[in-house]
Amino acid sequence: MMKVNRTMLSLKQLICALILLSSAQVSARGPSIVHTKSGRVIDITALKAQQPDQPLLVMLWATHCKPCMIEGRFMAMISKHFKARLHFAAIQVDEGVSINPASARKIYEKLKSKLTSYGVPKGSILPDAYLADYSNEVWAELQRGSRFNSKDTSIPLFALFNRDRKLIKIWTQAIYEDRHMIVDFISEIERVLHKENG
Amino acid sequence: MPNYSSGRKSKSTLKLILLVSLIAVGVAVYYDKVPDIGLPSSLPMLEPVSDKVSDAKPEQSKAVRSVIHEPEFVTSTKLKQTPASTPENSGVKAIRPPQISSQRGLIGRETRESQLYQSDLNLNEEVFASVESSTGLMYQSTKPNTFKKIGFDEALSGLDRCAWVSVASLKSQRTAQFFKLLNSLYSGGSSCQVLQLISDAPTTQRKGPYKEALDQLFSNLSKFGVRSRRVLDSYFMTPDLPEQVLVNLSTVLNEPKLNSVGLGDKPLLIFVQGGQVKNFWSSEVQDNLSEFANLLNHFHE
């Protein structure tokens, strides 16, 4: 009888340990996002792990944000030019939108037509567009482990990571508004690429 | 015991002053002598300005107001007068304000000057019509709702140092996006002169349709976040199609390449330095980062 009790106790401890372990693993993972084109669900940690041989540029935006849509053409040009050297991911953070593969694909179609109305040529639509529901969580996760701790989640927001996924620079305003901002943005990307490629 | 002698003396002095004053007033009333302030006795009675303005039609009073606040309009067009359209032979008599120095007279002068400007405004329509240029005509505006007819050659004269010349069609869907680009490029200022040529403008001698066309353009620009009119501070409107504008530019700037660009209604940005076309880009420059960087570099020159 005593033996059975001891076995039960150890079993309970094992289950508790497993639960704790799994919860710890979940908290380490970032909020889930959906690839709008393919409908694939991943999280921020997995997104950051993609194409580790290239620096990463992340853009947070929303379809209801006019300055974000205006940035579309500029970002299409940036992603096209640095295609083979820079991994670009645009995360759409339209809050309140349920994220699932079906809704993501519908939103992608809407996004395509909306971008066209903002002068973004057809065929140059951002290839890596994701959908997330809460910008704060996404932004907090993007900043994790970096010296940045900005609570400013105003969009459009741009974050540039190096190959080690160290956050190099953030821009928390529209780039295409100002000539000097455009120059700074392009120069910073080129500087990181130059440094990474020796 | 108090000394009342000084008090009594001052009372008597006061009485004396009062008496003298009363005598002076009495004498003045008797002779009806009013001090002469230089008002001419033959001055015609002028109607109060407020009555004039309220009697005028709303458009009329608006025009009067605009010319008062924008005297350059009259000055600049006066310079463009040709022998065929002088006040003498155009049938419009130039009214000269009388030399009046009183306060009342100043109000009168203002009214008469308004009338003078009004006459000049009507006259300008005829002056505009007589302007001729072998390289095409445009309507220049340096202030909202103020237009002046000007030849291409004259508008582009004096580009000795450096200038940005943009050509955009009023009817093209690309124009708003293009002006967004220009707004971004010009932000922070430019050391070069900036000229915006807007083609496909209404073919009219009146400024009303131009204002409507511009309002429509500004409405489109607001979609692209261009809220200020800074990008269109100095612009020229022309009824010519973009192709014709490029032909005219090609002639004036002596650059045959502009004539054969073949862009259709795609907007164009031209960089002129030392009177010569150094480079030009279509609105497609926004799709090619190398070309875009090349364009940006010209802003640092």
Side-chain angles (χ1 to χ4, degrees), chain A residues 101-169:
Chain A
S103 67
R105 275 195 290 269
K106 273 184 194 169
I107 286 167
Y108 184 72
E109 291 306 315
K110 268 188 192 171
L111 178 68
K112 271 207 297 188
S113 64
K114 197 161 185 182
L115 278 171
T116 309
S117 77
Y118 276 90
V120 181
K122 281 177 186 171
S124 67
I125 304 298
L126 308 163
D128 264 334
Y130 293 87
L131 176 68
D133 52 358
Y134 293 108
S135 57
N136 290 350
E137 286 180 24
V138 171
W139 181 218
E141 189 55 35
L142 284 170
Q143 291 184 112
R144 188 187 290 275
S146 72
R147 65 187 168 88
F148 296 97
N149 188 22
S150 171
K151 290 199 167 39
D152 183 8
T153 50
S154 61
I155 49 173
L157 188 148
F158 304 88
L160 181 64
F161 298 87
N162 65 7
R163 279 195 296 205
D164 301 330
R165 295 300 178 255
K166 188 183 161 196
L167 188 52
I168 303 294
K169 190 157 182 176

Side-chain angles (χ1 to χ4, degrees), chain B:
Chain B
M1 194 170 167
N3 184 8
Y4 293 108
S5 62
S6 62
R8 258 185 239 131
K9 267 182 190 173
S10 62
K11 269 185 185 174
S12 59
T13 314
L14 199 69
K15 275 179 187 173
L16 193 69
I17 291 167
L18 274 169
L19 190 68
V20 169
S21 309
L22 275 169
I23 291 164
V25 169
V27 168
V29 168
Y30 181 75
Y31 288 105
D32 192 22
K33 192 92 176 174
V34 179
D36 189 358
I37 54 167
L39 193 71
S41 55
S42 59
L43 181 74
M45 290 302 286
L46 295 165
E47 287 172 37
V49 174
S50 55
D51 294 348
K52 282 258 179 192
V53 172
S54 61
D55 288 348
K57 285 176 187 174
E59 309 90 74
Q60 237 178 342
S61 56
K62 201 187 239 180
V64 169
R65 271 200 302 278
S66 70
V67 290
I68 290 169
H69 294 300
E70 294 164 3
E72 303 95 294
F73 179 76
V74 176
T75 316
S76 57
T77 47
K78 269 183 176 174
L79 292 171
K80 303 277 170 272
Q81 282 182 358
T82 57
S85 58
T86 51
E88 286 73 23
N89 59 20
S90 66
V92 181
K93 286 179 183 173
I95 306 161
R96 292 285 169 259
Q99 299 296 314
I100 302 165
S101 59
S102 71
Q103 187 60 34
R104 196 176 170 193
L106 278 173
I107 297 166
R109 187 170 70 183
E110 202 172 65
T111 312
R112 288 184 188 196
E113 277 185 348
S114 302
Q115 288 168 351
L116 169 71
Y117 287 135
Q118 183 65 56
S119 305
D120 277 2
L121 191 68
N122 297 333
L123 175 66
N124 289 335
E125 300 276 333
E126 293 171 49
V127 173
F128 285 167
S130 67
V131 173
E132 281 180 13
S133 170
S134 58
T135 50
L137 293 165
M138 294 182 289
Y139 285 86
Q140 181 191 9
S141 174
T142 48
K143 282 182 180 179
N145 310 331
T146 309
F147 296 93
K148 175 176 88 165
K149 205 163 188 175
I150 188 170
F152 259 74
D153 42 2
E154 192 190 345
L156 296 167
S157 63
L159 303 184
D160 297 332
R161 209 170 60 78
C162 65
W164 292 99
V165 183
S166 72
V167 183
S169 165
L170 202 61
K171 290 169 188 164
S172 170
Q173 290 184 338
R174 296 182 179 98
T175 299
Q177 171 74 42
F178 178 68
F179 276 115
K180 172 69 191 171
L181 165 71
L182 295 184
N183 200 47
S184 308
L185 292 176
Y186 298 150
S187 62
S190 172
S191 55
C192 302
Q193 206 177 327
V194 172
L195 280 88
Q196 329 276 10
L197 311 186
I198 301 164
S199 74
D200 288 344
T203 50
T204 175
Q205 296 290 320
R206 290 170 57 244
K207 64 183 177 184
Y210 287 99
K211 191 184 173 298
E212 281 170 27
L214 278 175
D215 285 345
Q216 183 59 46
L217 177 60
F218 285 127
S219 156
N220 294 342
L221 287 177
S222 67
K223 187 191 170 188
F224 285 90
V226 183
R227 289 180 192 87
S228 73
R229 294 193 170 200
R230 182 182 55 191
V231 73
L232 289 174
D233 266 356
S234 175
Y235 57 90
F236 300 82
M237 294 182 88
T238 167
D240 292 333
L241 293 170
E243 293 88 351
Q244 185 56 45
V245 173
L246 290 181
V247 169
N248 294 340
L249 279 175
S250 170
T251 310
V252 174
L253 297 170
N254 196 23
E255 179 53 75
K257 277 184 197 166
L258 288 175
N259 197 1
S260 55
V261 173
L263 287 169
D265 66 347
K266 280 179 197 166
L268 193 76
L269 183 61
I270 306 161
F271 182 60
V272 183
Q273 199 169 38
Q276 287 185 321
V277 175
K278 287 284 170 189
N279 215 333
F280 56 88
W281 303 264
S282 81
S283 57
E284 307 289 300
V285 71
Q286 297 171 90
D287 301 327
N288 185 324
L289 190 61
S290 304
E291 276 298 303
F292 192 78
N294 176 22
L295 170 59
L296 284 170
N297 283 336
H298 280 75
F299 275 87
H300 296 289
E301 284 180 3

Side-chain angles (χ1 to χ4, degrees), chain A residues 7-192:
Chain A
T7 318
M8 286 292 282
L9 199 66
S10 59
L11 203 65
K12 274 182 186 173
Q13 280 172 340
L14 190 70
I15 291 164
C16 283
L18 277 171
I19 290 166
L20 278 170
L21 199 70
S22 61
S23 63
Q25 207 174 357
V26 165
S27 67
R29 294 170 72 85
S32 54
I33 53 173
V34 183
H35 192 286
T36 48
K37 205 172 178 181
S38 68
R40 193 161 44 92
V41 183
I42 59 165
D43 56 45
I44 298 294
T45 317
L47 173 79
K48 282 168 81 175
Q50 286 178 347
Q51 302 189 29
D53 56 331
Q54 292 176 0
L56 169 70
L57 178 65
V58 176
M59 174 192 185
L60 295 190
W61 66 338
T63 47
H64 60 77
C65 156
K66 205 187 265 189
C68 303
M69 300 309 287
I70 295 165
E71 295 288 306
R73 188 163 186 174
F74 180 61
M75 282 301 130
M77 179 173 71
I78 292 286
S79 64
K80 186 181 151 195
H81 184 82
F82 295 109
K83 200 177 177 182
R85 294 182 289 157
L86 179 77
H87 182 45
F88 180 79
I91 305 174
Q92 201 179 316
V93 284
D94 283 3
E95 294 196 10
V97 176
S98 61
I99 52 159
N100 61 63
S103 67
R105 275 195 290 269
K106 273 184 194 169
I107 286 167
Y108 184 72
E109 291 306 315
K110 268 188 192 171
L111 178 68
K112 271 207 297 188
S113 64
K114 197 161 185 182
L115 278 171
T116 309
S117 77
Y118 276 90
V120 181
K122 281 177 186 171
S124 67
I125 304 298
L126 308 163
D128 264 334
Y130 293 87
L131 176 68
D133 52 358
Y134 293 108
S135 57
N136 290 350
E137 286 180 24
V138 171
W139 181 218
E141 189 55 35
L142 284 170
Q143 291 184 112
R144 188 187 290 275
S146 72
R147 65 187 168 88
F148 296 97
N149 188 22
S150 171
K151 290 199 167 39
D152 183 8
T153 50
S154 61
I155 49 173
L157 188 148
F158 304 88
L160 181 64
F161 298 87
N162 65 7
R163 279 195 296 205
D164 301 330
R165 295 300 178 255
K166 188 183 161 196
L167 188 52
I168 303 294
K169 190 157 182 176
I170 52 172
W171 293 267
T172 53
Q173 55 186 302
I175 307 287
Y176 207 52
E177 283 287 324
D178 184 272
R179 183 176 87 220
H180 303 292
M181 190 79 88
I182 295 169
V183 171
D184 174 67
F185 187 75
I186 299 169
S187 307
E188 192 62 36
I189 292 172
E190 286 190 327
R191 192 188 65 78
V192 169

